[in-house]
Every structure is written in C-alpha cells, then in structure tokens.
C-alpha cells in the first residue's frame, strides 16, 4: 500500500465523475492544441509516414512535453506502427495513449516500502511531508488543499509554517488552517525555519497526529543558501521523528512550461525530491509538461492542480491524464 492509498478516502461515483470532468475541462486548451495538430497530421492519409510523425512531434513539443520525451514517444509510436499496421486516426490516438502511459510507467520510481505510511513504526509517527518549491508556484495553497483532503479522509493533520522569511506565507497558511480546521504551528517572521519544523513535529507527536505538512521558503532574504537551509530542516526533524521527512514534495507551476523543467532540475540537484505536485494546469496549453517532467526526472507526479477549489487538486492518474489530454 502506497502513501495515497493509505491517506485517501473512498469516493462516491458522483465525486469520481466530477473529478473526470474537472480533469477534462482543465486540460481543454492543451487538448485542443494537440488534437488540432494531430488531425492536420492524419488528414487524407491512411498510413503513418514521415510527415505525420513530424506533425505529431510538433504537437507534443508545442504542448511542452519536451524534446527528449517527445522523441522517445515518437520512437515508440514508430515501432508500434511498424508492428500493428496502423490504418486510421483512432488507431493512432490509441497507440499514442498506450505508448505514452507505458513510457511513464517504466520511468516512474516506485515508492520505497521503507517510507510508506504503514511501514513507519508507531514511535516514528506522524508521517512527515516537507513541501519545497520557488515562490509563486502555489506551494502554500497546495499544502492547504492537501490538508483538507487528508482531513476528509479522517486523518489528524498538523501544518508547520517554516517559510518564515515571507510574512504572507505564514498568514496564508494560517488562513488555510482555519478554513480546513487543522492546527498550524508558527513563530515570528524571521525565526529559524528549522526551529518551526522542530516545534511542529514535537506538537504533532504529543497530540498523535497522522500527517504533518511543512511549508518551506522558496527563497531566502539573506545570504544563507536555500538548499543548505532545507538540509538543516531535514536534520532537525529527524531528532523528533526518525526518518523524517518521509516525503519531499516539489511543487511546480505547470503553466510556466519549460521553466518548470529548470526548477525541477535545480531542486533535484540540491535535495532528494521524492514526489511532484504540478499546479495551475487549468487554462494553459502547456499540460504536456506533466508528461515531460515525470519522464525526464524519474520522479512520480503525485498531484496535479486543475482549479481553485480544494478538490481541484487531484491525485495523478497516468492513464486518465493522457486520455483526457488526447480527447479519448
């Protein structure tokens, strides 16, 4: 059982349908871009030739899938076409979905059993998630939405306001805490972020919380290196909860396209990122960035943001995402 299976609640059929509608609507602009180019690629053709593949390549790249990932998908499609004797548009769409999903499945790092919630000893609880990312990507909002979802699943949640260099971040997290009905541990602006994390975990342990979400700074207003600060926070938390943080979640703004790739590159070089949340996918034609980042960094995408409401932060379903992207 993985992290999300442990913390999520069973949804009603109506909720499942609503999630699918939100996913479809959120990816509408990307889907329109891809399908327009895909339709143009196959118009009047009965077989996949170099022109069709060139059009397909352009459609994927302009949706910010990324050059490397696009070329890998094209190679897989070529092999399937050679083997399956492609005849029409429906077959190309189906092959594209199957090969893209297979690519993501091959590259996704499976959650380590040692860090799964059910394997954490009672003395090591709560399950700790440290959330990282630059300012403006929706990091604090994502934490608030996750807190809401975990509480809906019946879990006791604590939030740690360790982004102490930005007053608005602490205030925003407190607003989410009040809205959701979960405890927020904070200190004065400019306090040591590691101290906030330490206090949060101590309080969470004392009150038998199930899960803790630690907000961190996107940048620092002094000469302290951000990545060194993140390492310090991790080391301090382990004094309270051995093995913490159990998950380091990087939040990226999907609407920035290739810039999200660069942010992922910088953070994965500097700290051990174990999961991704990609936000602000609604209203952008750059939804392909989810596929590219998942493939290039071999880190599982756990959540995608498709709107303002708490329930619009969805657990990432590989096949449902790709099918919605291609209008299937």
């Amino acid at each position: 059982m993985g992290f999300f299976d442990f913390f999520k609640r069973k949804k009603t059929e109506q909720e499942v349908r609503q999630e699918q509608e939100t996913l479809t609507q959120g990816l509408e602009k990307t889907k329109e871009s891809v399908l327009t180019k895909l339709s143009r690629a196959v118009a009047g053709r009965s077989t996949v030739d170099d022109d069709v593949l060139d059009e397909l390549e352009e459609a994927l790249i302009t949706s910010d899938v990324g050059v490397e990932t696009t070329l890998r998908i094209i190679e897989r499609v070529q092999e399937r076409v050679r083997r399956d004797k492609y005849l029409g548009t429906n077959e190309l769409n189906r092959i594209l979905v199957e090969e893209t999903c297979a690519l993501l499945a091959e590259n996704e790092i499976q959650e380590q059993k040692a860090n799964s919630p059910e394997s954490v000893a009672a003395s090591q609880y709560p399950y700790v998630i440290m959330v990282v990312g630059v300012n403006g990507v929706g990091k604090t909002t994502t934490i608030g939405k996750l807190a809401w979802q975990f509480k809906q699943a019946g879990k006791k949640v604590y939030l740690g306001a360790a982004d102490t260099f930005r007053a608005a971040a602490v205030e925003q997290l407190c607003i989410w805490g009040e809205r959701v009905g979960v405890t927020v541990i904070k200190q004065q602006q400019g306090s040591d972020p590691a101290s906030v994390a330490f206090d949060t975990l101590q309080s969470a342990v004392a009150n038998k919380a199930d899960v803790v979400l630690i907000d961190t700074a996107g940048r620092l207003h002094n000469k302290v290196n951000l990545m060194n600060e993140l390492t310090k926070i991790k080391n301090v938390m382990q004094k309270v909860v051995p093995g913490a943080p159990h998950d380091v979640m990087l939040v990226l703004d999907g609407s920035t396209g290739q810039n999200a790739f660069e942010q992922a590159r910088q953070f994965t070089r500097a700290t051990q990122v174990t999961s991704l949340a990609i936000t602000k996918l609604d209203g952008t034609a750059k939804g392909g960035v989810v596929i590219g980042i998942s493939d290039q960094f071999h880190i599982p995408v756990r959540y995608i943001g498709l709107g303002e409401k708490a329930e619009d932060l969805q657990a990432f379903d590989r096949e449902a995402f790709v099918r919605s992207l291609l209008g299937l």
Side-chain angles (χ1 to χ4, degrees):
M1 181 187 291
F3 172 79
F4 297 102
D5 294 320
F6 189 82
F7 284 118
K8 69 186 179 184
R9 66 180 176 83
K10 185 175 178 59
K11 296 177 180 175
T12 65
E13 291 184 8
Q14 182 177 355
E15 287 175 321
V16 171
R17 285 196 300 271
Q18 182 58 51
E19 274 198 355
Q20 184 58 51
E21 289 176 9
T22 299
L23 179 62
T24 300
Q25 292 170 5
L27 297 177
E28 188 66 31
K29 286 192 176 180
T30 303
K31 182 184 72 174
E32 287 178 3
S33 175
V34 173
L35 289 183
T36 297
K37 293 182 174 67
L38 196 57
S39 298
R40 186 174 65 201
V42 299
R45 295 186 174 95
S46 59
T47 59
V48 173
D49 55 19
D50 289 342
D51 290 337
V52 170
L53 292 175
D54 285 345
E55 293 279 4
L56 177 57
E57 182 177 318
E58 180 189 349
L60 295 175
I61 289 176
T62 55
S63 300
D64 279 87
V65 170
V67 175
E68 291 183 38
T69 301
T70 293
L71 292 178
R72 294 181 67 189
I73 293 173
I74 295 295
E75 287 176 3
R76 297 178 74 107
V77 171
Q78 278 182 309
E79 179 58 32
R80 282 289 300 276
V81 167
R82 194 177 298 118
R83 188 172 73 242
D84 296 352
K85 307 297 183 185
Y86 159 79
L87 293 175
T89 305
N90 290 337
E91 286 82 355
L92 179 57
N93 285 351
R94 175 178 55 81
I95 290 170
L96 191 54
V97 167
E98 290 174 357
E99 293 306 317
T100 302
C101 287
L103 181 69
L104 296 181
E106 288 175 7
N107 286 315
E108 183 175 294
I109 295 177
Q110 299 301 315
E111 286 186 277
Q112 296 180 359
K113 291 183 179 179
N115 278 348
S116 61
E118 72 278 7
S119 69
V120 178
S123 61
Q124 295 176 312
Y125 249 67
Y127 192 84
V128 182
I129 305 170
M130 184 170 78
V131 185
V132 302
V134 302
N135 292 338
V137 297
K139 182 159 44 70
T140 305
T141 298
T142 297
I143 291 172
K145 291 177 178 179
L146 283 173
W148 179 82
Q149 294 191 13
F150 293 153
K151 187 172 182 186
Q152 290 292 105
K155 305 302 176 182
K156 190 171 186 178
V157 184
Y158 268 59
L159 306 181
D163 185 357
T164 60
F165 293 90
R166 195 167 59 93
V170 176
E171 182 181 352
Q172 186 182 8
L173 196 66
C174 288
I175 291 172
W176 269 107
E178 292 177 7
R179 183 184 305 171
V180 175
V182 302
T183 300
V184 179
I185 304 299
K186 65 176 182 176
Q187 293 182 9
Q188 292 182 342
Q189 184 181 357
S191 299
D192 181 8
S195 175
V196 178
F198 184 85
D199 286 353
T200 303
L201 263 61
Q202 276 201 323
S203 183
V205 168
N207 290 282
K208 298 182 180 180
D210 296 300
V211 58
V212 172
L213 294 153
I214 301 292
D215 194 7
T216 63
R219 64 186 178 90
L220 301 184
H221 293 204
N222 56 24
K223 295 181 180 179
V224 177
N225 181 276
L226 173 60
M227 302 312 170
N228 288 342
E229 189 66 45
L230 294 178
T231 299
K232 179 182 175 184
I233 293 172
K234 290 169 68 174
N235 292 339
V236 166
M237 287 195 293
Q238 289 172 8
K239 294 178 180 179
V240 185
V241 179
H246 305 102
D247 184 32
V248 179
M249 180 178 290
L250 173 61
V251 181
L252 300 168
D253 179 349
S255 70
T256 63
Q258 291 303 303
N259 189 43
F261 277 85
E262 183 56 32
Q263 290 175 24
R265 191 170 292 111
Q266 291 178 6
F267 272 90
T268 53
R269 283 175 183 167
T271 191
Q272 188 179 3
V273 176
T274 55
S275 68
L276 299 170
I278 302 181
T279 66
K280 306 182 184 181
L281 291 170
D282 51 310
T284 179
K286 299 180 178 181
V289 70
V290 174
I291 296 171
I293 288 177
S294 178
D295 173 46
Q296 291 300 305
F297 295 97
H298 296 191
I299 298 172
V301 176
R302 294 305 184 204
Y303 283 101
I304 53 174
L306 297 158
E308 296 297 323
K309 300 191 296 293
E311 56 267 34
D312 291 338
L313 183 71
Q314 294 187 7
F316 179 61
D317 182 319
R318 190 170 50 236
E319 184 172 350
F321 180 88
V322 176
R323 285 187 174 280
S324 291
L325 199 67
L326 296 172
L328 297 179

